[in-house]
Each structure stands twice: as C-alpha cells, then as structure tokens.
Amino acid sequence: MNQQTQMQVSDEVAIEIRNMNKWYGTFHVLRDIDLTVMRGERIVICGPSGSGKSTLIRCINALEEHQKGSINVDGTLLSSDLKNIDKIRSEVGMCFQHFNLFPHLTILENCTLAPIWVRKTPKKEAEETAMHFLEKVKIPEQADKYPGQLSGGQQQRVAIARSLCMRPRIMLFDEPTSALDPEMIKEVLDTMIELAEEGMTMLCVTHEMGFARQVANRVIFMDAGQIVEQNEPEEFFNNPKSDRTKLFLSQILGH
Amino acid sequence: MSDAHAHSVAFVRETEIPPSPPPASQAGAIKWMRDNLFSGLFNSILTLLAIYFIYKLVAGAFPWFWNGVWDAESIRDCRDILAERGAETGACFAVLVDRWDHLMFGFKYPQTEYWRPTLAFVLLLFAAAPALFYKYVPRKFLLFTALYPFIAFWLIWGGSLWLPLAILVAIIATGFVFRMVEGLDVNIRSILAAIVGLVAGIGLAYLLYQGAKELWFISNSVGSGSILTMLASFLFKAASVFMFVFFIPMGIFVGYAIYNDAEGGGLVTVVTALFALYLFVAYLVDPVAGAINAIIPIELQAVPSRDMGGYMLNMILGVVCVSLSLPLGIVLALGRQSNMPLIKGVCVVFIEFIRGVPLITLLFVANVMLAYFMPPETNFDLILRVIIMITMFSSAYIAEVIRGGLAALPKGQYEAADSLGLNYTQATRLIILPQALKISIPGIVNIAVGLFKDTTLVSVISMFDIVGMIRGPIQQSTDWISIYWEVYLFASMVFFVVCYSISQYSQWLERQLRTDHH
C-alpha cells in the first residue's frame, strides 16, 4: 500500500512555509520553520508536549498569528488581510483534539452550516453533500441527533465529515485521537486512513505511531520549537539520526 | 458450582440476572411521607411545627378574605356593612371594583377609549407568541410581531394612523438604503464613503464642540462655594478642555475610518443607513403623514403621554424596555469583548457607569435634568425619557449577564467557527450567540423580572402607574382614605402573575433548548 500511496504525491506545492517564527510574548515557540508540503502528501508531526507542533499547524490556517517569515497555502499568501485568511480557512479543513462540534446544532446542521453560509450552497444540495460524507464516516443514522448524544469517536468522525463538507484541499489534524478511549481510536484512524488513500493532503499531529508507519510519506519530529528531524517513516523509526529523536522514540515505543 | 469456586479468583458469568421491581415496602405514599416528612425525630418536629404555622396563617387570613365586601361605595360604607354582618375582620375589596378603571388605566385616560389599550394588550399576546414559541408557530407570523409596535402605538396614543405608518415606511426605506449601499460597486462606494465620512466627521466634531461648550458652561454655573463644588467644577472644566482638544482629531479619525472602510463596506453601509433614517424621520415623516391625513383622515382621539397611568403604564414600560434592552445588551456585551479599544472603551464606561448609579437617580435625571440639557423648545416626551433611562439601566445589567455567557463558551467553539471560514458576523450569529444566550437565560430573565417590578419606581417621579394611583388618587380620596391591604395585595397579585409566567416560560425554554441526553 505504501508504494501505491507514494505515487499519488504530485510535484505541485500545497503549503510552503519559509523561515517562520512565532513568539508568545517573549517566549520563542516556533523557530525558523521551513517546510514544503506537496499536494497529496501525508505528513505526521510528532514530538514532546510543548514542542510547538500544534502551534505549527494552527499557524497554517491562521488560528495563531506568526510574527516572522511567510506561509503560502495553495498559492495564497497568509497575511493579516482578513479576506485572505477567510479564503485559506475555507480551503483548509481542521479537526481538533476536543472535536469542537457545535452542541446547539444537530449533526446534519453541523455539517451543512459552513457550506450554506460560506460557500452559499443551496440548503438541499448542502444536505445531500453532508449525508454523503456522513455515510463515508459511517454514521448517517445519527444525522438528526445532537453532538452531546454521541460517543467521542462518533463525534470526531462527525468533525471530520464537517470539515470534508467544505471540500477542502488540505486537512489538518490536531491530535484527533488524544481525547478518545482506545476502542474509539481505531474507528477514527480508519476514517483518516481512508481519507489518506484518496489522496488528501494531510498534516497530522499525533502520537499514533502505527498510523504514521502505515500512512505517512514523511514523519517530522519537533522539539523546542524547531524541526529536529524529518524522514520517511521506515527510516525515521528504524534508523533515527538525532539523539533527541532516539530518546523520544525509546520513550514512546519502549512499553 | 463447586466449593472450589468460592475460593478461586477466576469467575465466569453463565446466566444473566433478569431485572426485577423494587420491594413493595419501598414505594408508594407511605414511603414518600416517611422519606420526606418524618425521616427522623428532628425532621418530624420540624414538619409538625411547619404544619402548625401554616394552619395559623391560613386560619388568620381566611376570615379576612371570606368576609370580604365586594360591593360598597366607600370605606365607611364597607365598614358599616361588615359591622352589620357582625364580622370581626373583613376586606374591602369593593375598592378594586370601584376603582378598577383607575388601577388599570390611570385616572386621566378617556373612559370611552379603554377598549384601545385592552385591544393592544390582547394583540400583544398574539404578537409575542411567534417570538416566544418560535418552534410551534409558523415563521410568517413574525411579520405581525414586527408590525405590532406600530399598531400598539397607534391604539394607545391615538392620533393619525399615518404617523406610525410613515415611521414604518421610513424604517423599511432605510432597509432598502442599506441593501443598496451594500450592493454598490466598490468605486462608487468609495465616493459615497468619502462624502459620508466627511459629513459624519464634521457632524461628530460639531457635536463634540457643542458638548465641550456646554460642559464649560456647567462648570462655571456649579459655583465655587465649597471644596466639593470646586472639585466638580474642575472636573467639568477638565472634561471640557479634553473635548476642546480632541473634537477635531476625533472627527477626522471617525471620518477617515468610514472612508477607509469603503472596500469592506460594513461601516459605510451602517452609517449611510443611519443618516438616511435620520433624514427620513426628521424631515419627511411628519409632513408626509400630515399631508396624507389631510386627504384621508384616519384618526383616533389622541391621548397625551401624561394621561397614561395604572397597570397599563407598567405594562408599556415593562414590555418596551425589556424588548429594547435585550438587543442593546447583546451589542454592549459584544462591544465589551471587542478587539477595538475605542468600542470596548465606550462599552465598558457605559456599563460601569450605569451599574454604579441607582435607577431612581436615573429616573430623576429623566424627569428633571434632561430638560436642562435639551434646547429650550424641544418637548421630549416624558414616557420616552423614562423608557430611555430604564432601557439603558437594564441593558447594562443584561450586557454583563451575556458577557458571562460568552466567557463560559469554550475557546474551541470560536476556533471551530474560524477554521470553517465563517466571518465574525456569521460566527457570532450562528455559533456564539445562540449558545451564550442559552447559558444566560436565567440571568436575563432575572433582570427582566426585576425590571418589570422596577417600573413601579416611576411613581416617585409623579407618574401615576399602579402604585402611583394607589398612593395618590385612591388612598388620598375621601372615599377610600387609608386603605392599604386590599390595594397593595391586588398590585402584588398582578405583578406576581406576570413575573411568575415569565419565570415559568424561561424554565420551559431552557428545557426546549437542552440538546444533551434526551
């Protein structure tokens, strides 16, 4: 499978980050980040907590502001211009650790809200699209329930469907399985794997190393706000170069 | 099962245990009484004491109600009837019958026109239903809700029908102006933005200049008799100088902000629409309404504001102020959360100032002081002034309650809305406010109930609401002199009915809006 998915990576650039820096006050959270993501590439970002991996992907859709350097998403330069930000956000889907579904709306309304208001899709069409993606994440029968009535795994799959309804070209995952019970992790990972097989450009912050081995084209290891090492998964796991990576891997794979 | 099982750790369930009902002694009325009334020695004593107190209360009050006289001319008449019957105590409910009209409509509202406020009240129920029970009433009935203020205004105040109609048309026309400017080509809009920005800038600078002059005038007239007045005078002078220094920069700043916004267009659109509304109302509404009325006169007998009174006045103030202060409170709460320091500052100062001042002083300001600040010839309706003050007062409180609701929302909700590409208006309207308002319902209702009861404070500034009527024309008339219990009990009752309904409605609404674990 790995070989087959390798082939889907094109030579078109999806995201280009150049020399990006970010500070929280005086605390330097991201330092000289350089990263180019090709269309169709699946990247897993890992690292100890506080290493800036979430902040990095949150900078890509401007949930966090960067102070130096440039981020270019799909040919649109990320600047403080609100129009550019809204354009990028509607092209980039995002899933959060705590799902962040809208609790006052039904599952179906969660999925149709953005297409109707941002893309101006007619309601009927938006609902058809939503049902299509809910079927894809295998919970069409929950469409009329509220998020509070679903399990964590189901909620995360709804969150994925909600993002997909905007037909994004890039998906960001911010620790999508960290708040889930072990039984539910698999159902979410299966959905993500299916998405990857269809050639979606994905950036995942996750500690699921099995997922990384199976799906990723590239694993990035971050520490102290810097990219320490990046490589293909086989090389990364079997033959890590940096001492920091070796220490990290021994800690998370050691038990 | 062998004995070995009892000692071994390993265990496998082979049969399911079927569910069964609880034992009979653990259910029913006896159990309920034992649990809730006599669960121990101390609680049993408390229960008996409570029963004794309730008995004394009812036994004491019941004869007073039971002997009540409903048909009498005056309080003496009523006491004679009671003495005739040989009753020890008894209520003179006759006052309610005799003065029913006064309690409901005040003593100056023309008797032949009582049907008008009554009809307005009945229509209020129909107008409120589509908004209150929005899930069960078709949306198109909201149109009647939107028209109701104009209908009610005409019914209660009377005069020409064309005036409220003209105001309605002016508001609709303003909506059209808003739509038109929104749809304008960017180039044309930037020309418009330049003109509107210029006018708004100069207008604001002029207003601030006038305000600064006014403050200087006040500071001189405060006098310098004591340290306190010197301090007050100094503060007024300082504010005046501040405004003198800043009126031109503020005008330029605001004007430029409007011009600069031409591309996005939100600010230009809103300001242009406000200008249009002002022009319509100030220069078109009166003459047009007058002209049409000269041709086709449709008129009800006009009733001036000072003739309004009784419970009707409380209802007018309560309904108008609650429905105005909710949107204003939302705007203030959002403004207080704004990233823009100017907007945030204005909202914070407004909220903190209003919350720091007793309502009664604001009402005195409405009654007396506002006249000093207005040009001499303006005749600013007293009810309107009171409505403005009560609305400002309660909107500041509602804003704080809603701010609590906004703060209670997890940050993730904002992020999820952002990450889907919703802009600020969409995110606020579709995601943030529905949730924040739901959290704030108990607080908002608390303030609405308080506001409704506070409308009786207008009796202090010599308006004859229900309490004003009781304290004035009823208690001081020779017929019903020194009657207390019956009238105040009645006033409490009519307020209780409304406030309890509001509270029940809010609890029902909260249940309706629950979305977890049905």
Side-chain angles (χ1 to χ4, degrees):
Chain A
M1 187 195 97
N2 218 348
Q3 256 187 348
Q4 179 211 347
T5 48
Q6 289 283 356
M7 282 162 62
Q8 289 166 355
V9 177
S10 72
D11 49 3
E12 194 184 336
V13 175
I15 302 171
E16 191 169 30
I17 301 174
R18 284 280 155 269
N19 195 24
M20 194 255 284
N21 281 269
K22 175 173 175 60
W23 289 263
Y24 283 131
T26 54
F27 178 59
H28 202 170
V29 264
L30 291 176
R31 308 178 195 174
D32 289 340
I33 303 288
D34 277 295
L35 179 65
T36 306
V37 182
M38 295 301 176
R39 181 156 308 295
E41 222 180 348
R42 274 94 49 201
I43 293 179
V44 164
I45 304 170
C46 59
S49 68
S51 60
K53 41 193 202 308
S54 286
T55 311
L56 169 60
I57 69 165
R58 288 158 62 87
C59 281
I60 293 173
N61 67 351
L63 286 183
E64 304 276 357
E65 233 178 318
H66 61 280
Q67 276 89 35
K68 203 177 141 204
S70 72
I71 301 178
N72 195 320
V73 182
D74 235 2
T76 312
L77 188 68
L78 198 59
S79 59
S80 61
D81 188 342
L82 286 174
K83 278 197 174 149
N84 274 356
I85 290 180
D86 281 343
K87 182 166 184 289
I88 287 174
R89 282 174 177 167
S90 62
E91 301 296 333
V92 179
M94 179 146 188
C95 291
F96 300 87
Q97 181 178 359
H98 297 289
F99 333 130
N100 297 347
L101 294 177
F102 305 130
H104 61 301
L105 301 175
T106 63
I107 300 306
L108 189 64
E109 286 165 342
N110 263 282
C111 293
T112 55
L113 184 92
I116 289 175
W117 289 90
V118 180
R119 292 249 193 270
K120 314 286 178 206
T121 317
K123 192 175 174 218
K124 198 149 186 299
E125 201 184 315
E127 280 176 358
E128 279 164 16
T129 316
M131 285 315 291
H132 167 77
F133 283 112
L134 285 176
E135 266 159 40
K136 207 171 139 156
V137 300
K138 303 190 180 64
I139 32 178
E141 71 283 357
Q142 314 280 14
D144 292 325
K145 288 198 184 165
Y146 286 94
Q149 300 167 285
L150 267 56
S151 74
Q154 288 173 324
Q155 289 195 44
Q156 191 61 288
R157 283 184 284 153
V158 171
I160 294 173
R162 176 177 73 177
S163 301
L164 293 178
C165 284
M166 287 292 280
R167 309 261 184 206
R169 295 158 71 89
I170 298 162
M171 284 288 291
L172 308 174
F173 292 88
D174 188 1
E175 305 203 26
T177 55
S178 300
L180 296 177
D181 290 342
E183 274 187 270
M184 295 168 181
I185 291 178
K186 186 175 177 304
E187 60 187 52
V188 171
L189 288 182
D190 284 346
T191 310
M192 288 168 65
I193 289 167
E194 204 179 311
L195 202 59
E197 282 168 358
E198 286 168 15
M200 175 68 79
T201 312
M202 293 164 69
L203 270 84
C204 310
V205 172
T206 182
H207 296 125
E208 296 298 327
M209 291 305 141
F211 174 77
R213 272 181 201 274
Q214 190 184 348
V215 178
N217 321 73
R218 201 176 354 152
V219 180
I220 293 176
F221 175 69
M222 285 183 73
D223 188 30
Q226 301 148 75
I227 294 180
V228 175
E229 185 166 347
Q230 53 175 316
N231 214 332
E232 287 180 7
E234 286 302 311
E235 273 295 293
F236 180 84
F237 288 113
N238 299 338
N239 194 12
K241 304 280 184 303
S242 120
D243 291 340
R244 187 68 193 83
T245 316
K246 283 177 195 163
L247 181 64
F248 177 75
L249 286 177
S250 75
Q251 271 163 356
I252 65 164
L253 301 174
H255 55 80
Chain B
M1 295 241 171
S2 66
D3 271 352
H5 246 98
H7 303 289
S8 82
V9 181
F11 169 73
V12 178
R13 178 164 300 290
E14 283 146 358
T15 52
E16 286 245 322
I17 302 171
S20 55
S25 68
Q26 295 300 309
I30 306 265
K31 172 175 158 55
W32 184 89
M33 280 178 69
R34 196 181 294 149
D35 279 359
N36 294 292
L37 298 178
F38 303 103
S39 61
L41 180 65
F42 184 64
N43 286 352
S44 303
I45 293 171
L46 280 184
T47 302
L48 291 175
L49 272 178
I51 291 174
Y52 176 71
F53 274 115
I54 293 170
Y55 167 75
K56 285 300 268 185
L57 211 63
V58 172
F62 181 75
W64 188 78
F65 280 99
W66 182 248
N67 296 335
V69 176
W70 287 89
D71 187 20
E73 295 288 307
S74 68
I75 193 160
R76 286 172 302 281
D77 202 6
C78 169
R79 282 179 187 151
D80 289 346
I81 295 173
L82 281 174
E84 239 171 72
R85 287 191 202 155
E88 236 171 72
T89 64
C92 284
F93 293 122
V95 65
L96 305 180
V97 181
D98 190 42
R99 297 299 182 95
W100 175 261
D101 293 345
H102 285 182
L103 288 167
M104 286 294 118
F105 303 103
F107 64 113
K108 280 202 240 157
Y109 203 91
Q111 285 198 343
T112 50
E113 310 294 314
Y114 283 161
W115 63 272
R116 281 158 43 184
T118 314
L119 179 63
F121 176 71
V122 173
L123 290 180
L124 171 68
L125 302 179
F126 286 98
L132 295 182
F133 306 103
Y134 61 97
K135 270 191 191 165
Y136 303 100
V137 182
R139 282 183 71 93
K140 58 184 172 218
F141 287 105
L142 276 174
L143 187 65
F144 179 67
T145 312
L147 290 178
Y148 178 75
F150 302 95
I151 300 171
F153 172 78
W154 186 55
L155 280 175
I156 294 173
W157 272 268
S160 153
L161 170 66
W162 302 109
L163 184 67
L165 270 187
I167 295 173
L168 176 63
V169 170
I171 289 173
I172 295 173
T174 307
F176 274 112
V177 170
F178 185 88
R179 276 285 162 80
M180 200 187 72
V181 178
E182 209 177 24
L184 276 184
D185 181 67
V186 173
N187 291 324
I188 304 175
R189 191 156 61 200
S190 54
I191 298 172
L192 182 74
I195 298 169
V196 170
L198 195 67
V199 175
I202 292 173
L204 183 70
Y206 176 74
L207 282 179
L208 288 176
Y209 174 71
Q210 289 295 332
K213 277 209 313 201
E214 186 77 20
L215 285 176
W216 189 262
F217 175 76
I218 294 173
S219 80
N220 282 332
S221 55
V222 167
S224 52
S226 67
I227 294 176
L228 205 64
T229 49
M230 272 166 71
L231 185 69
S233 167
F234 173 75
L235 285 177
F236 275 118
K237 276 211 168 66
S240 170
V241 169
F242 180 79
M243 277 167 77
F244 268 124
V245 172
F246 280 104
F247 77 95
I248 291 177
M250 276 298 289
I252 293 174
F253 173 77
V254 169
Y256 181 73
I258 294 172
Y259 171 66
N260 202 29
D261 188 49
E263 206 181 326
L267 208 54
V268 194
T269 325
V270 171
V271 175
T272 315
L274 285 178
F275 267 138
L277 185 64
Y278 174 74
L279 291 179
F280 290 146
V281 172
Y283 297 105
L284 278 177
V285 162
D286 262 340
V288 169
I292 302 178
N293 199 47
I295 306 166
I296 319 167
I298 303 180
E299 272 183 311
L300 288 173
Q301 182 190 342
V303 183
S305 283
R306 62 174 179 279
D307 290 357
M308 307 285 160
Y311 194 51
M312 176 183 74
L313 183 59
N314 296 107
M315 285 296 278
I316 294 174
L317 293 176
V319 172
V320 173
C321 295
V322 167
S323 29
L324 288 182
S325 58
L326 185 59
L328 191 60
I330 293 173
V331 170
L332 283 171
L334 291 174
R336 196 171 182 165
Q337 290 226 318
S338 168
N339 295 328
M340 286 177 269
L342 198 66
I343 291 178
K344 184 175 178 163
V346 169
C347 292
V348 170
V349 169
F350 179 88
I351 292 170
E352 295 302 335
F353 173 75
I354 296 282
R355 287 205 310 160
V357 175
L359 176 57
I360 195 83
T361 57
L362 287 179
L363 289 176
F364 276 122
V365 168
N367 190 27
V368 187
M369 297 276 284
L370 273 187
Y372 290 118
F373 292 107
M374 295 291 159
E377 70 277 11
T378 41
N379 179 22
F380 208 38
D381 190 276
L382 179 60
I383 289 193
L384 187 58
R385 279 182 276 169
V386 169
I387 284 177
I388 291 174
M389 284 305 180
I390 299 182
T391 304
M392 287 194 339
F393 187 77
S394 56
S395 64
Y397 280 87
I398 288 185
E400 284 300 277
V401 170
I402 294 176
R403 189 166 70 101
L406 290 171
L409 279 195
K411 201 162 154 258
Q413 291 292 311
Y414 292 88
E415 290 178 351
D418 282 347
S419 76
L420 285 168
L422 296 167
N423 61 31
Y424 173 80
T425 322
Q426 290 167 339
T428 307
R429 201 187 121 197
L430 302 165
I431 309 299
I432 306 306
L433 274 185
Q435 297 184 62
L437 288 179
K438 183 180 146 191
I439 301 172
S440 325
I441 287 174
I444 293 175
V445 167
N446 191 19
I447 287 163
V449 165
L451 179 159
F452 183 56
K453 292 183 296 180
D454 281 353
T455 58
T456 53
L457 283 176
V458 297
S459 63
V460 180
I461 54 166
S462 57
M463 286 171 89
F464 291 99
D465 76 313
I466 191 165
V467 172
M469 283 306 296
I470 292 170
R471 289 183 350 134
I474 294 177
Q475 281 183 339
Q476 285 168 22
S477 68
T478 44
D479 281 349
W480 298 106
I481 194 151
S482 74
I483 191 154
Y484 284 100
W485 284 95
E486 294 83 351
V487 275
Y488 281 119
L489 206 63
F490 175 72
S492 318
M493 202 191 68
V494 286
F495 276 99
F496 178 79
V497 167
V498 173
C499 295
Y500 187 69
S501 314
I502 297 176
S503 134
Q504 286 300 306
Y505 169 75
S506 83
Q507 288 178 27
W508 176 84
L509 184 65
E510 276 179 65
R511 283 195 299 275
Q512 287 287 304
L513 292 174
R514 277 188 59 181
T515 57
D516 50 344
H517 309 300
H518 282 279

